[in-house]
Amino acid sequence: MALSSSAPFALGIALGNRSKSRGAAPSRNVNIMHPARSIAAKPSMTVLPTPQANHSASQAKVTSDGNASLESMVAAETKQRSDAWAQRLSQLERMAAIGELASTTTHEFNNLLMTIMNYAKMGLRHKDEASRDKALTRILDASTRGAKITSTVLGLARSRPGQLEPTQLVTLVEDTLVLLERELLKYRIDIEREFLDVPKIMASPSQIQRLLLNLITNARQAIGENGTIRIRIFAEDASQSVVLAIRDNGSGIPAEQMPKIFEPFFTTKDGPDASGKGGTGLGLSACKEIVDEHKGRIRIESTVGKGTAFTIRFPWIEASPAVTPPVS
């Protein structure tokens, strides 16, 4: 049959009457006819997370922890490789310095051997005591110089950066100049010395000699020919430091290059010069590393066309002498 719009209400009454006859609670009819009221009347409930939600949250936490662990592993591996490369780079720079010295020391030894041979012949030709004494003295001097060169080069080859000992900086500078004397004479470079009485520093002698070789060679290359390198060593009370100052009257460094000069492999040279030295871009970066290892400070001043000055301060380990000249 057809139902009008009032049919559901009538049906509800009929069902209600039937429920009354069976003793059922009338309120159930209201719930059946008005589901919205039924829901509103229900007490509030706390929604518990499903097992799938718990699994997703746990998986997100594991993923987060895994990413952090991976980042940590990558950082550790990167640092390890970086340290290994830095150590390798230092070894290469040291070997490059020794290789650059090979040509200079070979010529120097040849000159020393010629001196020894010539004075030995003179001693054999002349039987008088005065001539023999002169010949033997010259032979002894040449042999002593050869021994000094050998010990210095061997010291560089056996470099152990971590081993520091009380060291007299003046002695190291003098020994280094012995190695470079022939080269400086060849390019007509004068060395002005001003070495005052200074306390010792804690240093690796071979490392400091590498520093000196790099700085003096750079100064000589900046000059070219016919110039002057001034080397000063003095104590500075204000900073409790032994100061090493190396100044040349060479070409100078442009201002835009100054921030980069201590970067590894940065160089303004096309390659090694006629003496076989320079052009690797490792020299000044090694100098900065050596100064840092000795807890020192390095400062550079340069003017194009006038020259460059490197000033290095090493902490002393003894009482300072009384005289402290200003840095010029």
Side-chain angles (χ1 to χ4, degrees):
M1 66 179 174
L3 297 176
S4 65
S5 59
S6 62
F9 180 75
L11 180 59
I13 295 174
L15 290 173
N17 293 333
R18 186 179 300 175
S19 299
K20 288 179 182 179
S21 64
R22 294 181 181 178
S27 62
R28 290 182 180 270
N29 294 329
V30 178
N31 289 338
I32 292 173
M33 296 307 298
H34 302 282
R37 293 179 188 173
S38 174
I39 294 174
K42 290 179 182 179
S44 60
M45 295 183 295
T46 301
V47 179
L48 298 175
T50 64
Q52 292 83 358
N54 285 332
H55 177 71
S56 299
S58 176
Q59 187 175 15
K61 184 177 186 303
V62 170
T63 303
S64 176
D65 292 345
N67 289 339
S69 177
L70 181 60
E71 290 176 2
S72 163
M73 291 173 61
V74 170
E77 179 69 16
T78 302
K79 184 179 185 306
Q80 183 178 1
R81 293 192 178 190
S82 176
D83 292 344
W85 275 110
Q87 184 177 6
R88 180 62 176 162
L89 185 64
S90 178
Q91 292 173 348
L92 289 173
E93 194 280 329
R94 186 179 76 250
M95 298 310 296
I98 296 171
E100 289 174 352
L101 280 175
S103 140
T104 300
T105 53
T106 299
H107 287 291
E108 184 67 21
F109 266 102
N110 183 63
N111 292 337
L112 293 174
L113 289 173
M114 292 300 297
T115 299
I116 291 171
M117 290 173 60
N118 289 334
Y119 278 102
K121 290 176 181 178
M122 187 185 81
L124 291 173
R125 284 197 308 266
H126 301 279
K127 305 301 182 181
D128 61 286
E129 186 175 350
S131 297
R132 288 195 171 186
D133 285 346
K134 179 181 178 180
L136 290 172
T137 300
R138 295 297 177 87
I139 289 172
L140 179 61
D141 291 342
S143 301
T144 302
R145 182 179 176 81
K148 174 65 74 176
I149 293 173
T150 302
S151 64
T152 303
V153 174
L154 287 176
L156 286 170
R158 296 168 181 167
S159 174
R160 291 180 176 84
Q163 295 184 349
L164 305 182
E165 60 188 61
T167 303
Q168 180 52 255
L169 185 59
V170 173
T171 302
L172 290 180
V173 175
E174 294 283 11
D175 290 348
T176 304
L177 289 175
V178 169
L179 290 176
L180 296 174
E181 183 176 343
R182 181 182 178 278
E183 180 180 320
L184 295 171
L185 288 173
K186 175 183 177 181
Y187 292 96
R188 295 182 290 279
I189 306 295
D190 293 328
I191 299 294
E192 293 183 358
R193 297 171 172 85
E194 185 181 341
F195 301 160
L196 301 184
D197 183 24
V198 296
K200 292 182 179 180
I201 62 174
M202 287 299 293
S204 166
S206 59
Q207 292 288 82
I208 298 300
Q209 284 189 320
R210 285 175 57 203
L211 169 75
L212 293 166
L213 285 168
N214 281 324
L215 292 180
I216 296 173
T217 299
N218 273 358
R220 191 269 299 165
Q221 291 174 331
I223 293 171
E225 295 186 5
N226 297 315
T228 301
I229 299 174
R230 187 185 185 196
I231 304 176
R232 304 174 66 227
I233 299 175
F234 58 91
E236 185 178 74
D237 290 327
S239 61
Q240 295 188 340
S241 303
V242 174
V243 182
L244 167 68
I246 300 177
R247 179 183 295 273
D248 65 67
N249 60 351
S251 57
I253 303 172
E256 63 271 14
Q257 295 178 1
M258 292 283 282
K260 302 178 182 179
I261 60 170
F262 291 120
E263 294 179 4
F265 302 110
F266 176 78
T267 180
T268 58
K269 304 166 187 172
D270 297 329
D273 62 9
S275 68
K277 297 181 179 180
T280 63
L282 295 175
L284 289 180
S285 66
C287 290
K288 179 67 165 57
E289 179 183 346
I290 291 170
V291 172
D292 289 343
E293 288 174 355
H294 288 76
K295 296 181 173 57
R297 291 174 295 160
I298 183 169
R299 186 183 69 183
I300 177 173
E301 299 173 281
S302 188
T303 304
V304 174
K306 292 185 177 181
T308 302
F310 285 89
T311 304
I312 303 169
R313 289 172 169 83
F314 297 105
W316 67 42
I317 58 174
E318 296 178 5
S320 167
V323 180
T324 305
V327 178
S328 62

